């Protein structure tokens, strides 16, 4: 068979194969690109839904605790790990030394509006478990752990070793809940292109600067 005949037959076939391969690669690339766009969009929308339905509410509860920590200068008495959450006591009560480790109730006197009293550790846990579809798997596990320790801590008949185990474990769980909420809230805000705080995203510890008011003479 003459060479020119081979060229006439093969060249169009090669071109057709190359065109087919090019189109297949182009289609694959386009499909993969669109998949990435759709996935990114879904994740961003899901992150925003998590923020609006759960995380910003949890963040506000923790902000109340951190405000009390700063306002009453509790950071000078104990670290975040030893005192991860500060609650407001309903009753008229002075600061006492007979509270459990990791517990600190702030004396507020007879307050007419009791809304502030709802900001407590169990509210964090109840919010997480009530709105499980919006919480991370890590947060759900921590909430379940704290709820278990909290419920058994108040049961009668515990021996000292059991009581100490539930107490210490509960304190560790609430510390991890607080830092996880702060960290994940900022991660989701970054994902949604909203303002976020880098140190909170990295460390899970809420910044206090906004709570530190300046009085006359330049002293805080």
């Amino acid at each position: 068979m003459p060479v020119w005949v081979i060229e006439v037959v093969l060249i169009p076939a090669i071109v057709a194969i190359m065109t087919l391969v090019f189109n297949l690669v182009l289609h694959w690339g386009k499909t993969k690109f669109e998949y990435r766009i759709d996935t990114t969009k879904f994740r961003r929308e899901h992150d925003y839904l998590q923020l609006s339905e759960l995380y910003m509410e949890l963040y506000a509860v923790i902000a109340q605790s951190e405000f009390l920590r700063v306002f009453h200068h509790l950071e000078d008495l104990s670290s975040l790990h030893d005192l991860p959450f500060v609650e407001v006591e309903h009753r008229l009560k002075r600061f006492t030394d007979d509270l459990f480790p990791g517990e600190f109730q702030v004396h507020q006197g007879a307050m007419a509006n009791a809304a502030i009293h709802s900001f407590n550790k169990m509210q964090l846990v109840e919010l997480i478990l009530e709105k499980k579809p919006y919480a991370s798997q890590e947060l759900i596990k921590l909430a379940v752990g704290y709820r278990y320790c909290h419920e058994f801590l108040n049961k009668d008949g515990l021996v000292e070793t059991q009581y100490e185990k539930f107490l210490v474990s509960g304190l560790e769980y609430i510390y991890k809940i607080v830092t996880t909420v702060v960290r994940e809230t900022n991660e989701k805000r970054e994902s949604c292109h909203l303002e976020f705080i880098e140190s909170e995203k990295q460390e899970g510890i809420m910044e206090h600067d906004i709570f530190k008011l300046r009085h006359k003479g330049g002293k805080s």
Side-chain angles (χ1 to χ4, degrees):
M1 181 181 294
V3 174
W4 66 269
V5 174
I6 296 175
E7 291 178 348
V8 169
V9 174
L10 288 182
I11 291 177
I14 293 173
V15 171
I17 292 172
M18 292 179 62
T19 302
L20 177 61
V21 171
F22 175 79
N23 288 333
L24 289 173
V25 172
L26 184 64
H27 177 71
W28 175 82
K30 181 182 178 182
T31 301
K32 188 172 182 179
F33 176 76
E34 289 176 347
Y35 173 77
R36 287 182 176 178
I37 293 296
D38 291 342
T39 301
T40 301
K41 181 181 178 182
F42 171 79
R43 287 178 178 172
R44 187 175 299 151
E45 290 175 348
H46 182 62
D47 284 345
Y48 183 79
L49 189 61
Q50 288 180 296
L51 283 171
S52 60
E53 293 292 333
L54 176 62
Y55 277 84
M56 290 312 300
E57 190 169 0
L58 295 174
Y59 190 87
V61 177
I62 295 171
Q64 174 70 68
S65 167
E66 294 307 296
F67 164 75
L68 293 172
R69 186 190 308 278
V70 173
F71 192 80
H72 294 282
H73 304 289
L74 303 182
E75 69 271 26
D76 298 330
L77 304 176
S78 186
S79 67
L80 178 69
H81 194 276
D82 294 330
L83 183 63
F85 198 92
V86 184
E87 296 181 1
V88 175
E89 178 58 64
H90 284 276
R91 300 182 300 276
L92 188 65
K93 187 174 183 179
R94 299 292 297 176
F95 298 136
T96 61
D97 297 325
D98 58 350
L99 297 172
F100 299 139
E103 298 275 339
F104 201 101
Q105 281 109 17
V106 176
H107 164 60
Q108 291 291 339
M111 298 178 65
N113 186 350
I116 193 174
H117 299 309
S118 66
F119 289 88
N120 55 54
K121 294 185 285 294
M122 276 308 298
Q123 186 195 32
L124 280 174
V125 171
E126 289 167 356
L127 280 172
I128 293 167
L129 297 180
E130 179 184 346
K131 299 184 177 182
K132 293 185 289 292
Y134 305 109
S136 68
Q137 293 169 298
E138 180 180 358
L139 208 52
I140 292 172
K141 292 174 183 176
L142 292 172
V144 168
Y146 179 79
R147 182 179 63 179
Y148 182 83
C149 293
H150 178 81
E151 290 178 353
F152 276 84
L153 190 62
N154 294 299
K155 287 185 177 296
D156 296 329
L158 290 178
V159 299
E160 185 177 351
T161 54
Q162 291 176 316
Y163 185 82
E164 182 178 355
K165 181 178 180 179
F166 286 125
L167 188 63
V168 173
S169 298
L171 179 62
E172 182 67 21
Y173 280 126
I174 201 65
Y175 169 78
K176 289 183 177 180
I177 287 173
V178 167
T179 54
T180 299
V181 168
V182 172
R183 174 173 50 81
E184 291 185 349
T185 298
N186 281 275
E187 289 174 349
K188 295 178 190 307
R189 290 184 66 87
E190 180 184 25
S191 170
C192 295
H193 300 294
L194 299 173
E195 180 183 5
F196 72 97
I197 300 173
E198 181 65 32
S199 64
E200 292 189 0
K201 189 189 77 168
Q202 296 297 330
E203 302 170 12
I205 300 175
M206 189 173 288
E207 285 193 353
H208 295 157
D209 291 350
I210 191 67
F211 297 132
K212 296 178 180 179
L213 304 178
R214 295 287 176 177
H215 302 295
K216 292 181 179 180
K219 296 180 179 180
S220 58

